Amino acid sequence: MLSRSSTLLSQSLFKRTLATSAPGKFTVSFIEGDGIGPEIATSVKKIFSAADVPVEWEACDVGPIIVNNNTAIPEAAIKSINKNKVALKGPLATPVGKGHRSLNLTLRKTFDLYANLRPAASLKGLKTTYSDIDFVVVRENTEGEYFGVEHDLGDKVEAIKLITQNSSEKVIKFAIDHAKFLGRPKVLVVHKATVQPLTDGLFYQVGKSLEKYQSNVKVEFELLDDYIHNSVKDPKKYHDYVVVAPNLYGDIITDLNSGLSTGSLGMTPSANIGEKVSIFEAVHGSAPDIAGKDLANPSALLFAAVMMLEHLGLNSHADKIKAAALKTIAEGIKTGDLGGKATNSIYTDAIIKNLSAWSRCLKKWPTGFSIYEFLSQKSKQINDNKYIVQIIWTKVNKQVVSVHKPILKCYVPTEINDKNNENNYDNCICKKLLKQVWS
């Protein structure tokens, strides 16, 4: 469920030393998870192998273990993720009401993954109330009601909601930087400062202090209640925004966005961003009731892996896998959670089959000229002796907009004839070429 305009991150934000097992090959820690986790992890591995992605997986078991009466991550897992800087994570189960701290929360705290980026976009082949959803939400990831400190006071309990200036500033700056990178002119800070004037009030005040942080990105504010109402009533209102919210609100907002865009959390990827480490994950649960039955939808984990590839700069591989998956869905090959009848195996194999169609498309391009290099330029015309391909970019405040709307418009066959032209580009790739290679 990748947003049309949510290229993951500006590479300038992540000047890290990433682990490599060979020249040009990245090592990624893989937390397969619980329940359906191993099944959907196997799907991702098969698809990556078929797409010749230069990634080597390093198995990573995150425990849990108990240290000083607190849930913790095994040292071997911490070393693996710190070494590789990047991890892919399947669903992790946490017993309900058993006094165990969530492993997801533990991971975020262990590696200070302060921002959760979760795009949501409508996909062809999935019928929901709206057909044109395009949200980008950034959620504070380590504090708020999920801080994880509760007290039993006999006949009552209390939970601490922690909001700090430092974490609020980091996540709001991240949202503003990301909006600038995507070419979105506005950031919306969602809060409930009217009810919680100290905690949400601090988040609000930090946002106010950053109104001039980027001169070409306007910072606006909205109460949570109003945002929820408006996002359901008129989703397009927020297509020019990156929304940023405290932890709990962001969690609720992004789950709502999943329902509005595709109708299933089984399509929802996300990225957990830290200053030293990033972990990409499927946001759905472990679904133990269908584990081992070949019924699980691997899309969320696959799209999270696509976000990871964009983060690593492997854009051509990301484009190839994303296009094959979206083509599969558009063809009506869907798992049960999406109203289809395909098993995990059938769906995975169909994506792999569509990868070969993408490869045929690439052969039509000039040798040595990557699609990403092409799309990264403001305006370019290529004549490969048979076809002329042209991209006309929109400029927003003299900033080139994100490459992802053109990629989806150009390469998803069900969208070849889209005449929306919302970014003022026309015929961004030769329709005749696409019809030939995707037929």
PDB file of all heavy atoms in Angstrom, residues 216-232:
ATOM      1  N   ASN A 216       9.464  26.745   2.523  1.00  0.00           N
ATOM      2  CA  ASN A 216       8.496  26.345   1.493  1.00  0.00           C
ATOM      3  C   ASN A 216       7.545  25.247   1.967  1.00  0.00           C
ATOM      4  O   ASN A 216       6.870  24.613   1.155  1.00  0.00           O
ATOM      5  CB  ASN A 216       9.219  25.894   0.221  1.00  0.00           C
ATOM      6  CG  ASN A 216      10.240  24.802   0.481  1.00  0.00           C
ATOM      7  OD1 ASN A 216      10.547  24.509   1.634  1.00  0.00           O
ATOM      8  ND2 ASN A 216      10.750  24.209  -0.571  1.00  0.00           N
ATOM      9  N   VAL A 217       7.502  24.997   3.267  1.00  0.00           N
ATOM     10  CA  VAL A 217       6.542  24.046   3.843  1.00  0.00           C
ATOM     11  C   VAL A 217       5.773  24.747   4.957  1.00  0.00           C
ATOM     12  O   VAL A 217       6.362  25.184   5.944  1.00  0.00           O
ATOM     13  CB  VAL A 217       7.238  22.783   4.404  1.00  0.00           C
ATOM     14  CG1 VAL A 217       6.198  21.842   5.034  1.00  0.00           C
ATOM     15  CG2 VAL A 217       8.014  22.055   3.304  1.00  0.00           C
ATOM     16  N   LYS A 218       4.470  24.846   4.787  1.00  0.00           N
ATOM     17  CA  LYS A 218       3.625  25.503   5.777  1.00  0.00           C
ATOM     18  C   LYS A 218       3.200  24.504   6.845  1.00  0.00           C
ATOM     19  O   LYS A 218       2.775  23.393   6.530  1.00  0.00           O
ATOM     20  CB  LYS A 218       2.390  26.093   5.097  1.00  0.00           C
ATOM     21  CG  LYS A 218       1.479  26.876   6.033  1.00  0.00           C
ATOM     22  CD  LYS A 218       0.277  27.448   5.287  1.00  0.00           C
ATOM     23  CE  LYS A 218      -0.619  28.243   6.223  1.00  0.00           C
ATOM     24  NZ  LYS A 218      -1.808  28.777   5.511  1.00  0.00           N
ATOM     25  N   VAL A 219       3.306  24.892   8.117  1.00  0.00           N
ATOM     26  CA  VAL A 219       2.908  24.039   9.227  1.00  0.00           C
ATOM     27  C   VAL A 219       1.535  24.482   9.724  1.00  0.00           C
ATOM     28  O   VAL A 219       1.338  25.652  10.075  1.00  0.00           O
ATOM     29  CB  VAL A 219       3.936  24.092  10.377  1.00  0.00           C
ATOM     30  CG1 VAL A 219       3.491  23.202  11.535  1.00  0.00           C
ATOM     31  CG2 VAL A 219       5.314  23.652   9.878  1.00  0.00           C
ATOM     32  N   GLU A 220       0.595  23.540   9.736  1.00  0.00           N
ATOM     33  CA  GLU A 220      -0.757  23.828  10.206  1.00  0.00           C
ATOM     34  C   GLU A 220      -1.111  22.876  11.348  1.00  0.00           C
ATOM     35  O   GLU A 220      -0.384  21.899  11.609  1.00  0.00           O
ATOM     36  CB  GLU A 220      -1.755  23.683   9.052  1.00  0.00           C
ATOM     37  CG  GLU A 220      -1.498  24.653   7.911  1.00  0.00           C
ATOM     38  CD  GLU A 220      -2.504  24.511   6.777  1.00  0.00           C
ATOM     39  OE1 GLU A 220      -3.428  23.662   6.891  1.00  0.00           O
ATOM     40  OE2 GLU A 220      -2.368  25.225   5.768  1.00  0.00           O
ATOM     41  N   PHE A 221      -2.245  23.131  12.021  1.00  0.00           N
ATOM     42  CA  PHE A 221      -2.611  22.369  13.211  1.00  0.00           C
ATOM     43  C   PHE A 221      -4.092  22.009  13.146  1.00  0.00           C
ATOM     44  O   PHE A 221      -4.910  22.775  12.648  1.00  0.00           O
ATOM     45  CB  PHE A 221      -2.323  23.190  14.467  1.00  0.00           C
ATOM     46  CG  PHE A 221      -0.880  23.614  14.579  1.00  0.00           C
ATOM     47  CD1 PHE A 221      -0.423  24.756  13.927  1.00  0.00           C
ATOM     48  CD2 PHE A 221       0.019  22.858  15.299  1.00  0.00           C
ATOM     49  CE1 PHE A 221       0.905  25.136  14.008  1.00  0.00           C
ATOM     50  CE2 PHE A 221       1.344  23.222  15.388  1.00  0.00           C
ATOM     51  CZ  PHE A 221       1.790  24.361  14.732  1.00  0.00           C
ATOM     52  N   GLU A 222      -4.423  20.828  13.694  1.00  0.00           N
ATOM     53  CA  GLU A 222      -5.822  20.403  13.710  1.00  0.00           C
ATOM     54  C   GLU A 222      -6.057  19.444  14.873  1.00  0.00           C
ATOM     55  O   GLU A 222      -5.194  18.609  15.183  1.00  0.00           O
ATOM     56  CB  GLU A 222      -6.191  19.715  12.392  1.00  0.00           C
ATOM     57  CG  GLU A 222      -7.686  19.495  12.224  1.00  0.00           C
ATOM     58  CD  GLU A 222      -8.049  19.186  10.777  1.00  0.00           C
ATOM     59  OE1 GLU A 222      -7.309  18.442  10.103  1.00  0.00           O
ATOM     60  OE2 GLU A 222      -9.076  19.706  10.311  1.00  0.00           O
ATOM     61  N   LEU A 223      -7.201  19.586  15.528  1.00  0.00           N
ATOM     62  CA  LEU A 223      -7.569  18.663  16.593  1.00  0.00           C
ATOM     63  C   LEU A 223      -7.819  17.273  16.023  1.00  0.00           C
ATOM     64  O   LEU A 223      -8.318  17.126  14.902  1.00  0.00           O
ATOM     65  CB  LEU A 223      -8.814  19.156  17.316  1.00  0.00           C
ATOM     66  CG  LEU A 223      -8.657  20.412  18.171  1.00  0.00           C
ATOM     67  CD1 LEU A 223     -10.009  20.880  18.671  1.00  0.00           C
ATOM     68  CD2 LEU A 223      -7.704  20.146  19.341  1.00  0.00           C
ATOM     69  N   LEU A 224      -7.479  16.262  16.807  1.00  0.00           N
ATOM     70  CA  LEU A 224      -7.637  14.877  16.367  1.00  0.00           C
ATOM     71  C   LEU A 224      -9.068  14.596  15.898  1.00  0.00           C
ATOM     72  O   LEU A 224      -9.272  13.969  14.852  1.00  0.00           O
ATOM     73  CB  LEU A 224      -7.262  13.929  17.511  1.00  0.00           C
ATOM     74  CG  LEU A 224      -7.494  12.436  17.272  1.00  0.00           C
ATOM     75  CD1 LEU A 224      -6.580  11.918  16.164  1.00  0.00           C
ATOM     76  CD2 LEU A 224      -7.272  11.650  18.560  1.00  0.00           C
ATOM     77  N   ASP A 225     -10.047  15.054  16.659  1.00  0.00           N
ATOM     78  CA  ASP A 225     -11.456  14.805  16.314  1.00  0.00           C
ATOM     79  C   ASP A 225     -11.789  15.338  14.932  1.00  0.00           C
ATOM     80  O   ASP A 225     -12.429  14.665  14.108  1.00  0.00           O
ATOM     81  CB  ASP A 225     -12.387  15.476  17.332  1.00  0.00           C
ATOM     82  CG  ASP A 225     -11.916  15.339  18.756  1.00  0.00           C
ATOM     83  OD1 ASP A 225     -10.751  15.733  19.021  1.00  0.00           O
ATOM     84  OD2 ASP A 225     -12.680  14.853  19.595  1.00  0.00           O
ATOM     85  N   ASP A 226     -11.350  16.564  14.663  1.00  0.00           N
ATOM     86  CA  ASP A 226     -11.637  17.192  13.378  1.00  0.00           C
ATOM     87  C   ASP A 226     -10.932  16.454  12.245  1.00  0.00           C
ATOM     88  O   ASP A 226     -11.495  16.261  11.166  1.00  0.00           O
ATOM     89  CB  ASP A 226     -11.203  18.655  13.398  1.00  0.00           C
ATOM     90  CG  ASP A 226     -12.024  19.484  14.372  1.00  0.00           C
ATOM     91  OD1 ASP A 226     -13.174  19.095  14.655  1.00  0.00           O
ATOM     92  OD2 ASP A 226     -11.507  20.506  14.861  1.00  0.00           O
ATOM     93  N   TYR A 227      -9.681  16.065  12.509  1.00  0.00           N
ATOM     94  CA  TYR A 227      -8.936  15.360  11.463  1.00  0.00           C
ATOM     95  C   TYR A 227      -9.616  14.038  11.092  1.00  0.00           C
ATOM     96  O   TYR A 227      -9.782  13.726   9.906  1.00  0.00           O
ATOM     97  CB  TYR A 227      -7.483  15.087  11.887  1.00  0.00           C
ATOM     98  CG  TYR A 227      -6.785  14.225  10.873  1.00  0.00           C
ATOM     99  CD1 TYR A 227      -6.275  14.776   9.705  1.00  0.00           C
ATOM    100  CD2 TYR A 227      -6.695  12.836  11.044  1.00  0.00           C
ATOM    101  CE1 TYR A 227      -5.672  13.978   8.743  1.00  0.00           C
ATOM    102  CE2 TYR A 227      -6.102  12.038  10.081  1.00  0.00           C
ATOM    103  CZ  TYR A 227      -5.592  12.607   8.929  1.00  0.00           C
ATOM    104  OH  TYR A 227      -5.017  11.811   7.970  1.00  0.00           O
ATOM    105  N   ILE A 228      -9.997  13.249  12.083  1.00  0.00           N
ATOM    106  CA  ILE A 228     -10.646  11.966  11.816  1.00  0.00           C
ATOM    107  C   ILE A 228     -11.922  12.174  11.010  1.00  0.00           C
ATOM    108  O   ILE A 228     -12.169  11.492  10.002  1.00  0.00           O
ATOM    109  CB  ILE A 228     -10.964  11.227  13.137  1.00  0.00           C
ATOM    110  CG1 ILE A 228      -9.676  10.828  13.866  1.00  0.00           C
ATOM    111  CG2 ILE A 228     -11.832  10.000  12.862  1.00  0.00           C
ATOM    112  CD1 ILE A 228      -8.840   9.790  13.177  1.00  0.00           C
ATOM    113  N   HIS A 229     -12.727  13.132  11.433  1.00  0.00           N
ATOM    114  CA  HIS A 229     -13.985  13.419  10.722  1.00  0.00           C
ATOM    115  C   HIS A 229     -13.713  13.825   9.278  1.00  0.00           C
ATOM    116  O   HIS A 229     -14.323  13.296   8.337  1.00  0.00           O
ATOM    117  CB  HIS A 229     -14.741  14.528  11.449  1.00  0.00           C
ATOM    118  CG  HIS A 229     -15.943  15.029  10.717  1.00  0.00           C
ATOM    119  ND1 HIS A 229     -17.137  14.348  10.693  1.00  0.00           N
ATOM    120  CD2 HIS A 229     -16.127  16.148   9.952  1.00  0.00           C
ATOM    121  CE1 HIS A 229     -18.015  15.013   9.966  1.00  0.00           C
ATOM    122  NE2 HIS A 229     -17.426  16.109   9.507  1.00  0.00           N
ATOM    123  N   ASN A 230     -12.793  14.754   9.088  1.00  0.00           N
ATOM    124  CA  ASN A 230     -12.533  15.276   7.744  1.00  0.00           C
ATOM    125  C   ASN A 230     -11.864  14.264   6.832  1.00  0.00           C
ATOM    126  O   ASN A 230     -12.116  14.252   5.624  1.00  0.00           O
ATOM    127  CB  ASN A 230     -11.675  16.535   7.839  1.00  0.00           C
ATOM    128  CG  ASN A 230     -12.404  17.696   8.476  1.00  0.00           C
ATOM    129  OD1 ASN A 230     -13.619  17.806   8.355  1.00  0.00           O
ATOM    130  ND2 ASN A 230     -11.671  18.562   9.171  1.00  0.00           N
ATOM    131  N   SER A 231     -10.994  13.411   7.406  1.00  0.00           N
ATOM    132  CA  SER A 231     -10.284  12.442   6.566  1.00  0.00           C
ATOM    133  C   SER A 231     -11.226  11.380   6.010  1.00  0.00           C
ATOM    134  O   SER A 231     -10.986  10.831   4.932  1.00  0.00           O
ATOM    135  CB  SER A 231      -9.154  11.770   7.355  1.00  0.00           C
ATOM    136  OG  SER A 231      -9.654  10.965   8.406  1.00  0.00           O
ATOM    137  N   VAL A 232     -12.309  11.093   6.736  1.00  0.00           N
ATOM    138  CA  VAL A 232     -13.314  10.155   6.240  1.00  0.00           C
ATOM    139  C   VAL A 232     -14.283  10.856   5.286  1.00  0.00           C
ATOM    140  O   VAL A 232     -14.685  10.300   4.259  1.00  0.00           O
ATOM    141  CB  VAL A 232     -14.087   9.515   7.409  1.00  0.00           C
ATOM    142  CG1 VAL A 232     -15.225   8.643   6.899  1.00  0.00           C
ATOM    143  CG2 VAL A 232     -13.140   8.693   8.273  1.00  0.00           C
TER     144      VAL A 232
END
